[in-house]
Amino acid sequence: MTDSALSPAIALALILTAPLFGALAAMVTGRRGAGIALATMTATGIGIVTLLVIIAGDGDFTLAIGGWEPPLGIQLRADGLAAGFITTTALVMGAILAVAGKPFGAGATERRGAYTFWPLALLLWGALNAIFLSGDLFNLYVGLELLTLVAVALVGIEGKRETLAAALRYMMFALMGSLLYLLGAALLYAAHGTLDIALLAARVGNAPGDIVAAAAITAGLAAKTALFPFHSWLPPAHSGAPAPASAMLSGLVPKASFYILLRFWFEAAPDIAGTGVLTLLGGLGALAMIYGSLLALHQNRLKLIIAYSTVAQLGYLFFVFPLAGGTSAAQPWAAGAWSGAVFHALSHAMAKASMFLCAGLIIEAIGHDRLPGMKGIVRAMPMTVFAFALAAITLMGLPPSGGFTAKYLMMTASFAAGQPFWALMLIVAGLLAAAYLYRPLALAFALPDADAPVPGAVSRARQAAPLVLALAAILLGILSAGPFAFIRIGRPGAAVEGLE
């Protein structure tokens, strides 16, 4: 531990409470939410920097709330994985809040958005931080429910008929996922008297009740992550929401439920899954990749292309389970698969949020996101188109991006494990991503129609925000050694050794 025994507690307190107090303040101040968001980012940023310094110097640590140790109390845990997700979330939220100066249209929608967007965005940020720092399945459930409620509100924030329908559909899937997750948690508590992940690791076995609980938790979290075939809520929800909300919903929200899946299968119940279950999760990920990519190819709206791309890209994450799951013992290929999945989650969060922000700025300039109307937009918005292109490089998995590092690690693990099918799927996924992302880029550089209206002006300061995110996703690959070593701090035993 560091010289100051209070610094870990202060760091965690700032990270957890600053967004929540910011949300309350934004509710009171209304249209002055932007100033509250800036103060929140400053306070949270101080906590994150402190946390990074502590973990880099002293390693992972735990903190029992109120001094009550599990199973009586709730314990927070901070390690390289948690800090990586918290830092990425802060970077993405900073860019989103910078662009969100004009996230809504005029009239009543603008007034409603001005009063509700800032509190909802900060509440979502607080829920994400609570999930990434929790070491207890029930505490994770509370954070997940807060996240879901805020996300549903963001989907329907404009009050349009189609967005309200999308929000209701999302809520139904989320409710189903929540009930399944809560059922699994209740079964584990009844059998073992605790929901602390560290304590469950020594108690969960292959008893029928444990298997049913694991299946319920996995199914519930898969629905919240929009894994195929639970994906149908995602495209209308993400494409119909305002661009800043879409960036949060696509870049950050699904990562929370996947993060819990990682914690559960690699730390709480590493030995419970058989080969069939793990292969099923990977197979559903492969189907999501193919299905989402093919549908993205047939869309004529930019936000729908990005939304269906999310369905495909989230599928890659589930390749980690057949490649690295199924045993608490280290395997020669597990470390690379685990690290590759984490790299993909982080780089996808930044690149996909950047894409949705770019789409929002283009809509602001030309009034819509239909592909034919985007011809020649690069002349009016070169910075935005450049950011979109950099984000596309990451999603295609091309060097030197973080997406390339992720795919390289997972493909290496696939061949080392004697399972080349997953490597083949990653190659196919990259080709399909290139195909559906080429279309908007080609139109952006095409000659505009003679009768095309002149795009409206968008400030360069707001165009810089998605560019920063896209560059960060590229730098994650170029400077991968540092993040790669950092996320390994405190990782589970099944991902400690092997090819990397």
Side-chain angles (χ1 to χ4, degrees), residues 161-486:
R161 182 174 181 179
E162 60 272 19
T163 57
L164 291 176
L168 287 174
R169 180 184 296 182
Y170 178 18
M171 186 172 65
M172 293 302 296
F173 274 89
L175 179 61
M176 177 186 69
S178 298
L179 291 175
L180 287 170
Y181 180 93
L182 191 58
L183 171 63
L187 289 173
L188 289 177
Y189 186 80
H192 306 292
T194 183
L195 290 175
D196 182 76
I197 289 176
L199 294 179
L200 285 174
R203 303 181 188 186
V204 173
N206 289 315
D210 291 348
I211 294 173
V212 172
I217 288 173
T218 303
L221 292 174
K224 286 181 175 288
T225 313
L227 176 66
F228 181 93
F230 309 112
H231 66 280
S232 61
W233 62 266
L234 187 148
H238 290 199
S239 64
S246 297
M248 288 183 276
L249 293 169
S250 186
L252 298 175
V253 172
K255 306 306 187 305
S257 47
F258 175 75
Y259 175 89
I260 299 174
L261 277 172
L262 271 185
R263 290 292 196 195
F264 181 79
W265 282 110
F266 282 86
E267 298 180 30
D271 296 315
I272 198 173
T275 303
V277 173
L278 298 172
T279 302
L280 174 63
L281 287 173
L284 292 177
L287 289 174
M289 179 271 293
I290 295 171
Y291 178 85
S293 297
L294 292 178
L295 285 183
L297 281 168
H298 289 86
Q299 304 304 315
N300 288 314
R301 284 184 51 208
L302 182 59
K303 289 188 73 177
L304 275 175
I305 291 175
I306 303 171
Y308 277 107
S309 168
T310 300
V311 174
Q313 298 281 327
L314 290 174
Y316 306 175
L317 295 173
F318 286 82
F319 291 0
V320 69
F321 296 107
L323 290 175
T327 176
S328 57
Q331 303 174 75
W333 52 84
W338 186 88
S339 299
V342 174
F343 256 76
H344 178 68
L346 300 181
S347 60
H348 176 267
M350 293 182 284
K352 189 55 61 75
S354 175
M355 276 193 170
F356 268 117
L357 292 178
C358 289
L361 294 174
I362 290 172
I363 292 172
E364 187 177 322
I366 65 177
H368 62 82
D369 67 339
R370 295 184 295 274
L371 293 190
M374 289 175 51
K375 287 184 178 179
I377 193 67
V378 68
R379 291 165 175 79
M381 307 178 71
M383 191 182 299
T384 297
V385 175
F386 182 50
F388 190 94
L390 288 179
I393 289 173
T394 296
L395 296 186
M396 287 185 276
L398 298 178
S401 66
F404 170 77
T405 302
K407 287 188 176 181
Y408 171 78
L409 289 168
M410 297 187 77
M411 289 178 69
T412 301
S414 177
F415 287 119
Q419 302 180 52
F421 173 77
W422 309 114
L424 176 63
M425 286 294 98
L426 289 170
I427 294 172
V428 172
L431 294 174
L432 289 172
Y436 61 70
L437 292 174
Y438 170 78
R439 295 169 60 219
L441 284 171
L443 288 170
F445 284 92
L447 291 174
D449 296 331
D451 58 347
V454 178
V458 179
S459 71
R460 290 186 176 273
R462 293 176 65 225
Q463 291 188 61
L467 180 57
V468 169
L469 281 183
L471 286 171
I474 297 293
L475 289 174
L476 185 63
I478 295 175
L479 306 175
S480 59
F484 182 80
F486 191 85

